[in-house]
Amino acid sequence: MTSNGVIDGVARAVRQAGANPDALRSRPKAPSALDKEDKTYNTELVVVGGGGAGLAAAARALQAGKQVVVVEKFPSVGGNTVRAGGPMNAPDPAWQNTFAANPGEANTLQELHDIDEATIDPEFIDDFRALKVEIEEYLKNPTYLFDSKLLYRIQTYLGGKRKDLKGNEIHGNYQLISILTERALESVRWLENIGVEFVRDEVTMPVGALWRRGHKPKVPMGVAFISVLKDFVLKNGGIILTDTQVKELLITDDIVTGVKGTGRNGQTITVNGKAVILTTGGFGANTKMLQQYNTYWSEIDDDIATSNTPAATGDGILLGQSVGADLVGMGFSQMMPVSDPVTGALFSGLQVPPANFIMVNTKGKRFVDEYGSRDQLSQAAIDNGGLFYLIADENIKETAYNTSQEKIDAQVEAGTLFRADTLEELAEQINIDPAILVETITNYNSYVDAGHDPEFDKGAFDLKVEKAPFYATPRKPAVHHTMGGLKIDTKAHVINENGKTIKGLFAAGEVAGGLHAGNRLGGNSLTDIFTFGRIATDTAIVEYLG
């Protein structure tokens, strides 16, 4: 992103000087004087993909005293993790119980409690009944923030339960969800031991997470994880090969033992090991692949924006298929409802917790329960024309993360964020009838006071919109995550089309499917990659590295 910023800035300067920047953009890159020869590396564990899952897998291997090489096709590590908002889900009741409940949360739990058991899939029914007992006990004194592993498990299950365009239903694999929800807090503690620092005076909720259980790092965004993990890997003897595109999995005696790829100058790079972990991410930046597999959205436009790194093109899925891997859930992709209308990025404007979302369409009216899942919010936005606005006041602005006053002022100056001293003036800036916007906000504020939203039954509230200046952030859904991928088991083995494990091959993170089913909860991706990244390494050590 910083590189593109420099390039775009130079292009503007060239254009202002009267020249054509396209002539510079199309000029071939200068060949590097280094790394022109073929190279072979010998190690114990090979990790393909240098995002959060890959670096976690590598760090875990180094903790166990094993050799590891990480192969990344981009010039730098980070993947989609470095673009993440930061908060990761993990139930931690001893910590969460110290925070007061938000208005509406007790009602959300009551509604969950009252779900018809006939709609719950058999493998989840015992957990659901046990959760109902927990909720009944809590509702006797619903003054603090409640959470439990069971609540997390059932919300992950229900949050991912969806039907495709043909009416076929999908839900997450019970065993995978159980592993995720049982070991989530363990992943937070492991990251802390590696060196990631988390905020302790705030518990937050990413978009579409359904509950406040987000552990937010002190350093903004996913940089908090990537910087610490990268440093740990390099300081402890790990090797990271960037600018290296893996083209082939190497097999020895029916075991996947290494990879072969191409370096930045076209040279052949071979990495031999004893096992391979695929952590290459999903295919959210591959529009053709999204369209090929899509069974959920009525249509995916050719020019749809994405919040993903351009590296998320499905490479690992193709590698897995090349050795017979089975796929699961490929038709379900997720849109991030609150994306930048032009770039698809997440952190322009004011990105605040969903309890402070007030989403209004281009007519100035609310149109959805802002506490809902990402696909529900995205579909509602699409049904209302795509473009909408997040309305905030000065108090809500203070809850925005990954921004600063300097950035806010710059965006207002650039016309990508709107600010006014009155709601009427704000409405005029975004071409909305002032009377309608004022009525919408007046009604919303009354719902906050009452703790109940009679229009859309919002799941939880926090702040009212009452203190000037007021803000409007334009938003539009963009592709964010792909739920489908390589089929894995609870030990992160990749499964072939005959239901057997592919020896020596593992997968973790967005490249793997079956966990999030039809919709991923916000904050679950980070928990997924750090949990199953470690599991993949632990299994590889026991079975192949010794």
Side-chain angles (χ1 to χ4, degrees), residues 15-292:
R15 188 176 294 108
Q16 290 173 10
N20 180 9
D22 292 337
L24 294 175
R25 290 181 185 274
S26 61
R27 188 180 64 176
K29 294 181 180 179
S32 172
L34 302 173
D35 300 325
K36 292 185 177 180
E37 298 181 355
D38 296 347
K39 288 189 177 181
T40 298
Y41 297 84
N42 294 306
T43 188
E44 291 180 284
L45 182 65
V46 184
V47 178
V48 184
L55 293 179
R60 183 71 193 95
L62 293 166
Q63 284 181 319
K66 304 301 179 182
Q67 298 173 336
V68 63
V69 172
V70 178
V71 188
E72 166 59 47
K73 75 174 182 179
F74 257 41
S76 61
V77 297
N80 270 345
T81 306
V82 81
R83 294 170 171 239
M88 61 179 289
N89 288 336
D92 186 1
W95 171 57
Q96 291 164 278
N97 290 176
T98 64
F99 296 89
N102 274 344
E105 286 177 339
N107 183 63
T108 297
L109 289 175
Q110 185 66 61
E111 291 179 348
L112 179 60
H113 174 279
D114 294 342
I115 289 176
D116 184 356
E117 289 190 2
T119 66
I120 303 297
D121 291 277
E123 59 266 50
F124 289 91
I125 194 64
D126 288 342
D127 286 341
F128 179 69
R129 289 169 176 164
L131 173 61
K132 290 176 67 173
V133 174
E134 290 185 349
I135 292 175
E136 289 166 3
E137 184 62 29
Y138 167 73
L139 290 177
K140 295 176 181 178
N141 179 33
T143 57
Y144 58 90
L145 175 58
F146 166 79
D147 204 3
S148 71
K149 292 178 180 178
L150 286 174
L151 177 59
Y152 184 26
R153 186 171 306 155
I154 295 301
Q155 287 183 318
T156 297
Y157 152 64
L158 292 175
K161 188 175 181 178
R162 293 292 185 272
K163 289 183 179 180
D164 64 18
L165 294 173
K166 295 182 178 180
N168 300 311
E169 190 170 81
I170 185 174
H171 65 74
N173 179 288
Y174 175 77
Q175 293 179 324
L176 294 178
I177 291 177
S178 295
I179 291 289
L180 178 80
T181 53
E182 285 293 326
R183 300 186 63 177
L185 186 58
E186 176 189 314
S187 292
V188 173
R189 299 290 180 253
W190 180 79
L191 287 164
E192 287 177 323
N193 289 334
I194 290 289
V196 177
E197 295 184 85
F198 289 92
V199 174
R200 297 300 295 172
D201 60 355
E202 176 186 359
V203 57
T204 190
M205 172 183 147
V207 182
L210 303 184
W211 202 251
R212 285 191 294 154
R213 58 172 64 95
H215 297 251
K216 184 173 75 172
K218 290 184 177 180
V219 175
M221 300 176 63
V223 176
F225 306 108
I226 296 301
S227 60
V228 170
L229 287 167
K230 177 186 175 182
D231 287 347
F232 184 91
V233 170
L234 294 178
K235 288 178 181 179
N236 286 276
I239 296 174
I240 299 176
L241 305 178
T242 55
D243 277 314
T244 303
Q245 172 78 58
V246 172
K247 303 283 190 178
E248 179 185 354
L249 296 175
L250 302 179
I251 298 176
T252 305
D253 297 328
D254 293 326
I255 300 173
V256 178
T257 56
V259 301
K260 183 177 288 188
T262 305
R264 72 180 72 183
N265 293 310
Q267 74 275 34
T268 298
I269 305 294
T270 304
V271 185
N272 297 311
K274 298 178 179 179
V276 174
I277 302 177
L278 297 175
T279 56
T280 53
F283 53 100
N286 187 337
T287 304
K288 295 299 182 184
M289 196 169 181
L290 286 165
Q291 293 169 332
Q292 173 190 349

Side-chain angles (χ1 to χ4, degrees), residues 247-432:
K247 303 283 190 178
E248 179 185 354
L249 296 175
L250 302 179
I251 298 176
T252 305
D253 297 328
D254 293 326
I255 300 173
V256 178
T257 56
V259 301
K260 183 177 288 188
T262 305
R264 72 180 72 183
N265 293 310
Q267 74 275 34
T268 298
I269 305 294
T270 304
V271 185
N272 297 311
K274 298 178 179 179
V276 174
I277 302 177
L278 297 175
T279 56
T280 53
F283 53 100
N286 187 337
T287 304
K288 295 299 182 184
M289 196 169 181
L290 286 165
Q291 293 169 332
Q292 173 190 349
Y293 284 103
N294 174 52
T295 60
Y296 187 59
W297 302 101
S298 58
E299 185 178 359
I300 296 177
D301 294 337
D302 291 338
D303 60 351
I304 191 167
T306 180
S307 64
N308 283 210
T309 166
T313 53
D315 301 1
I317 292 172
L318 298 177
L319 285 171
Q321 285 184 293
S322 72
V323 293
D326 197 7
L327 304 181
V328 59
M330 290 291 288
F332 291 87
S333 58
Q334 182 179 83
M335 294 189 192
M336 172 60 78
V338 289
S339 298
D340 187 285
V342 177
T343 66
L346 303 183
F347 294 108
S348 60
L350 298 182
Q351 188 66 49
V352 302
N356 288 327
F357 278 7
I358 302 96
M359 298 168 63
V360 302
N361 59 23
T362 53
K363 295 181 179 179
K365 296 182 177 181
R366 289 177 65 225
F367 54 91
V368 70
D369 166 14
E370 295 95 337
Y371 220 65
S373 64
R374 289 176 175 179
D375 61 333
Q376 292 168 339
L377 298 182
S378 294
Q379 189 61 61
I382 292 169
D383 292 343
N384 277 265
L387 180 68
F388 65 92
Y389 297 91
L390 288 174
I391 305 299
D393 71 344
E394 187 66 13
N395 290 330
I396 291 177
K397 185 206 77 174
E398 295 301 318
T399 69
Y401 37 82
N402 302 327
T403 192
S404 65
Q405 190 61 52
E406 182 181 13
K407 292 180 181 178
I408 291 169
D409 293 340
Q411 290 176 84
V412 171
E413 179 69 22
T416 57
L417 173 66
F418 301 92
R419 180 173 60 196
D421 290 330
T422 67
L423 285 171
E424 289 86 351
E425 292 174 4
L426 186 69
E428 291 176 356
Q429 289 186 30
I430 56 179
N431 298 315
I432 287 176

